[in-house]
């Protein structure tokens, strides 16, 4: 039976580190601050935003909340972003996705100053990630790496297989594993021999969005299995991309769903808020 990686515990450790950093910053007269922007009334987004504000409170990071109606125009939202970009007190800007269809998401993400892009979605930050120089790494992928490292697993030289090639998880996870000197293969819907490739992985990251896609026969004995999937099963319960029952028979380490990767996204967001604040105040802090 595999060791179960406790994402909730690791996320709490990271939030506690962010809290200590926030206290240190405040002792030097700098208050970290995140602006959270929610447009429309998507109930899932409202829950995410509430949890992000709660995490800020826990960590001692000031949060400013902008809850705008679904009728908000693209230019109104861009004007708000410009104001937040110009506001020296705001270190991070988070625009909750998805946005209403009337607004071009890409245009909005491009408008956020890269140094305030705590989601790590701006192409500039994605570029830095790809050359191994990112300060603000996108939260879910960076959370996967933390789960592996804090379980005491060294990524260097390992055979890493990522299933899924999305811009928000699959691709950046692959780049981060590469930066840790892993040997990385990215699989996707057109990959031939996917099962065989997965079965060779020392570290297997599943980010496909298909419930129970990874079964025990695809897992190498002793492998680390990171499940990024958040799906609703036929029974209405939350489940991952990995069939936990069979995969955990083979894996050495495995993340559960819920309680694995999920809590890490917000924890890494808090870490990014601190990093953004430190970078924006480096002169004052080093004086
Ligand atoms: N919607 C779902 N996940 C995320 C996320 O990580 N960041 C933002 N901004 N929106 C999301």
């Amino acid at each position: 039976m595999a060791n179960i990686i406790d994402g909730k515990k690791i996320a709490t450790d990271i939030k506690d580190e962010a809290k200590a950093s926030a206290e240190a910053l405040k002792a030097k007269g700098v208050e970290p601050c995140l602006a959270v922007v929610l447009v429309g009334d998507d109930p899932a987004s409202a829950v995410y935003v509430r949890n992000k504000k709660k995490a800020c409170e826990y960590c001692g990071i000031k949060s400013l909340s902008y809850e705008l109606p679904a009728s908000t125009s693209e230019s109104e939202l861009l004007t708000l972003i410009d104001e937040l970009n110009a506001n020296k007190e705001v270190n991070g800007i988070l625009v909750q996705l998805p946005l209403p269809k009337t607004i071009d998401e890409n245009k909005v993400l491009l408008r956020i100053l890269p140094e305030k892009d705590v989601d790590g979605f701006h192409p500039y930050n994605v570029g830095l990630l790809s050359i191994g120089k990112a300060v603000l790494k996108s939260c879910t992928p960076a959370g996967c790496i933390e789960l592996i490292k804090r379980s005491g697993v060294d990524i260097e030289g390992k055979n890493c297989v990522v299933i899924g090639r999305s811009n928000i998880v699959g691709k950046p996870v692959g780049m981060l594993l590469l930066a840790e000197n892993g040997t990385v293969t990215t699989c996707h819907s057109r990959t031939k021999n996917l099962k065989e490739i997965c079965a060779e992985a020392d570290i297997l990251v599943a980010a496909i969005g298909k419930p129970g896609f990874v079964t025990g026969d695809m897992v190498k004995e002793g492998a680390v299995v990171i499940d990024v999937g958040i799906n609703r099963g036929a029974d209405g319960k939350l489940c991952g991309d990995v069939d936990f029952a069979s995969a955990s028979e083979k894996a050495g380490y495995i993340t559960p769903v819920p309680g694995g990767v999920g809590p890490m996204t917000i924890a890494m967001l808090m870490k990014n808020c601190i990093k953004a604040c430190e970078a924006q105040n480096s002169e004052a802090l080093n004086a």
Side-chain angles (χ1 to χ4, degrees), residues 218-270:
M218 295 162 71
V219 176
K220 181 174 161 180
E221 201 70 51
V224 179
V225 178
I226 305 292
D227 188 352
V228 189
I230 302 178
N231 313 292
R232 286 260 170 227
D235 53 3
K237 276 195 191 158
L238 221 52
C239 65
D241 290 347
V242 176
D243 174 47
F244 188 86
S246 63
S248 60
E249 296 276 315
K250 304 274 290 291
Y253 291 88
I254 189 165
T255 61
V257 177
V261 174
M264 293 298 289
T265 302
I266 291 183
M268 299 311 287
L269 174 69
M270 298 298 106

Side-chain angles (χ1 to χ4, degrees), residues 13-88:
D13 291 346
I14 291 169
K15 283 190 285 184
D16 286 338
E17 290 161 19
K19 187 176 179 176
S21 301
E23 273 162 20
L25 283 165
K26 283 188 266 189
K28 292 185 176 175
V30 177
E31 184 175 31
C33 173
L34 171 69
V36 181
V37 182
L38 173 65
V39 185
D41 38 28
D42 178 58
S45 289
V47 173
Y48 283 130
V49 162
R50 189 166 358 110
N51 289 338
K52 286 170 187 177
K53 288 193 284 195
K54 259 168 59 182
C56 282
E57 209 171 298
Y58 179 90
C59 296
I61 296 170
K62 182 176 174 183
S63 72
L64 301 176
S65 189
Y66 298 85
E67 295 182 9
L68 311 175
S71 58
T72 302
S73 70
E74 186 178 282
S75 71
E76 283 169 330
L77 180 57
L78 291 174
T79 301
L80 171 62
I81 307 258
D82 289 342
E83 284 167 17
L84 296 172
N85 280 339
N87 185 343
K88 294 265 177 287

Side-chain angles (χ1 to χ4, degrees), residues 48 52 94-98 119 121 140 265:
Y48 283 130
K52 286 170 187 177
L94 182 136
V95 178
Q96 186 64 28
L97 304 177
D119 260 324
F121 289 162
T140 304
T265 302

Side-chain angles (χ1 to χ4, degrees), residues 76-189:
E76 283 169 330
L77 180 57
L78 291 174
T79 301
L80 171 62
I81 307 258
D82 289 342
E83 284 167 17
L84 296 172
N85 280 339
N87 185 343
K88 294 265 177 287
E89 280 186 16
V90 172
N91 308 118
I93 303 170
L94 182 136
V95 178
Q96 186 64 28
L97 304 177
L99 288 168
K101 289 192 175 40
T102 47
I103 298 177
D104 181 345
E105 228 162 69
N106 250 337
K107 210 164 164 182
V108 172
L109 295 180
L110 272 171
R111 195 72 157 243
I112 298 171
L113 276 180
E115 61 261 40
K116 296 194 179 188
D117 166 39
V118 283
D119 260 324
F121 289 162
H122 193 291
Y124 179 83
N125 286 325
V126 177
L128 287 180
L129 192 79
S130 77
I131 60 168
K133 300 219 180 296
V135 176
L136 300 176
K137 299 172 188 166
S138 83
C139 302
T140 304
C144 294
I145 303 298
E146 286 296 322
L147 288 174
I148 299 167
K149 285 187 166 181
R150 288 181 191 234
S151 299
V153 174
D154 190 9
I155 299 167
E156 182 159 320
K158 295 278 162 58
N159 196 11
C160 306
V161 174
V162 180
I163 324 174
R165 56 173 160 176
S166 72
N167 290 333
I168 54 168
V169 184
K171 280 183 204 162
V173 159
M175 289 192 287
L176 290 174
L177 289 165
L178 201 52
E180 297 291 334
N181 299 317
T183 303
V184 181
T185 305
T186 301
C187 297
H188 48 80
S189 55

